[in-house]
Amino acid sequence: MKTKLHPTKNDLPENLRGKMIDLLNQQLADVLDLGLQAKQAHWNVKGPNFIGLHELFDKVAEELEEFSDDIAERAVELGGVALGTVQVISKNSRLPAYPLDLTSGQKHVAELSSSLAKFGTTTRTSIDSAARAGDADTADLFTEVSRGVDKLLWMVEAHMQSKD
Ligand SMILES: [Fe+2]
């Protein structure tokens, strides 16, 4: 974080808080992008599994919105600024751009599951980074997010795992 932190009586060292704020903002950019990808799938999916996928993709977006709120608010709790504008997300997200021309349910499932898995990977890495740095609470937050993302990945991937 380049800017000065807001003063707080939170006793975590400033240097640690700064590191955690950067980590939280990186994950925030990714999860906000991921939530929009789920909405993109929700709006544009077509085909025989339309209603199930349309509703599932919306549920994915809703759950990701809760995670993004928790991640953003932890950055602010630590004295930082949550970076959640579309310009910052677009610059910082590490997810591949979601294709705009998909209609097939299977293709949406394939794309969204890849993005969920990628976010799952960086969330797990973030658990370790936060724990190693000495912020058990940020590690715990990422652990909760990681468990939730694994569940969403299961629900999306299940559509590719059996033909009947
Ligand atoms: Fe909707």
Side-chain angles (χ1 to χ4, degrees):
M1 186 92 185
K2 277 91 203 149
T3 55
K4 207 169 148 20
L5 300 189
H6 290 286
T8 168
K9 290 176 183 157
N10 187 309
D11 72 345
L12 289 176
E14 185 165 336
N15 179 39
L16 171 58
R17 285 189 287 114
K19 267 194 228 161
M20 291 302 100
I21 291 160
D22 287 347
L23 182 62
L24 287 156
N25 272 319
Q26 178 57 66
Q27 293 307 110
L28 180 63
D30 290 352
V31 75
L32 288 168
D33 186 6
L34 184 55
L36 285 170
Q37 295 195 6
K39 274 292 191 186
Q40 184 70 18
H42 164 73
W43 292 319
N44 291 293
V45 68
K46 296 183 191 298
N49 297 316
F50 168 76
I51 195 65
L53 289 174
H54 175 69
E55 288 177 359
L56 173 62
F57 295 152
D58 211 23
K59 178 184 160 70
V60 170
E62 273 171 27
E63 295 207 11
L64 293 172
E65 195 182 331
E66 281 188 29
F67 298 151
S68 65
D69 212 47
D70 291 340
I71 293 169
E73 286 172 4
R74 177 122 190 107
V76 179
E77 287 161 32
L78 295 178
V81 173
L83 305 177
T85 62
V86 74
Q87 290 79 6
V88 175
I89 302 165
S90 167
K91 188 163 148 269
N92 291 353
S93 173
R94 294 165 298 183
L95 299 183
Y98 200 83
L100 300 176
D101 57 349
L102 301 185
T103 50
S104 144
Q106 285 301 308
K107 285 185 179 154
H108 278 295
V109 162
E111 284 294 330
L112 194 60
S113 60
S114 294
S115 288
L116 280 164
K118 189 154 204 287
F119 181 65
T121 300
T122 62
T123 304
R124 258 185 275 285
T125 308
S126 301
I127 299 170
D128 295 340
S129 306
R132 239 182 293 123
D135 183 351
D137 299 298
T138 296
D140 180 61
L141 168 58
F142 285 134
T143 304
E144 185 187 348
V145 170
S146 159
R147 201 167 50 239
V149 169
D150 279 356
K151 189 165 180 178
L152 294 174
L153 177 59
W154 161 55
M155 289 181 174
V156 173
E157 267 191 327
H159 294 86
M160 308 191 290
Q161 290 170 336
S162 174
K163 293 284 172 231
D164 51 22

